[in-house]
Amino acid sequence: MSEDAPESHAEPRIAEVLAAADAIVAAFASTDTQAYFAGFAPDATFVFHPEAKRFDSRAEYEDTWQGWIAEGWSVVDCRSSERLVQTFPGGAVFSHTVDTTVETPDGRESYRERESIVFRLLGDARLIAVHEHLSTVPATADADSDPEADTDAEAVPQ
């Protein structure tokens, strides 16, 4: 079996999924390009509501990210709440609410979004993200939710 091939019978532990997700969130929060993209497979896909199209590879998203940085974009703060981990043989889905503040050439911007990251379990038991999806939070959910309230992960029983 290849090192990168998933062990279809293996299921990651919740703590492992949280560690992989936390590494991605922390790298994003510090605008650490290298660490952030290291969490994603080369063939990972990305769907972000503000973007006109899906990014069909890590390299495609990385090119756009580099353009944002060149224009003066950086992350000031990023907080994860309402975290949920769902594991299955060969991988997991991590979803959460994310409150982000960024610096742009036009000044600071803050927003709340929902994000899902799909992980694949590699043959060496590492987790690698293969898909990230970012969506808006409806205004009614925004008003009902406190970003500081729930930072503990929940697991859906399998």
Side-chain angles (χ1 to χ4, degrees):
M1 179 180 285
S2 160
E3 177 183 328
D4 290 341
E7 296 180 15
S8 60
H9 65 280
E11 191 167 314
R13 294 179 315 177
I14 291 170
E16 295 166 333
V17 178
L18 289 172
D22 287 344
I24 288 172
V25 171
F28 181 82
S30 62
T31 320
D32 184 338
T33 301
Q34 185 175 357
Y36 177 67
F37 285 103
F40 293 93
D43 62 346
T45 56
F46 305 84
V47 176
F48 303 138
H49 67 90
E51 295 301 315
K53 67 182 198 89
R54 177 185 63 227
F55 297 119
D56 289 333
S57 69
R58 181 179 71 198
E60 193 176 334
Y61 175 27
E62 234 173 319
D63 286 346
T64 299
W65 171 284
Q66 292 297 345
W68 294 338
I69 289 176
E71 293 170 359
W73 175 90
S74 65
V75 181
V76 175
D77 189 39
C78 181
R79 296 181 187 265
S80 175
S81 63
E82 301 177 311
R83 297 152 46 103
L84 176 68
V85 172
Q86 298 168 277
T87 62
F88 53 86
V93 176
F94 169 78
S95 58
H96 65 146
T97 298
V98 62
D99 290 279
T100 305
T101 300
V102 296
E103 190 70 47
T104 74
D106 298 325
R108 286 200 174 178
E109 299 175 9
S110 294
Y111 37 83
R112 170 174 281 177
E113 297 160 306
R114 289 188 180 135
E115 180 178 55
S116 296
I117 303 173
V118 179
F119 290 96
R120 178 175 62 220
L121 186 60
L122 301 177
D124 61 2
R126 287 181 301 132
L127 286 163
I128 191 85
V130 296
H131 181 74
E132 181 178 12
H133 186 111
L134 193 63
S135 59
T136 60
V137 175
T140 56
D142 226 7
D144 295 340
S145 187
D146 176 3
E148 304 293 324
D150 182 13
T151 57
D152 294 329
E154 301 172 18
V156 173
Q158 299 294 314

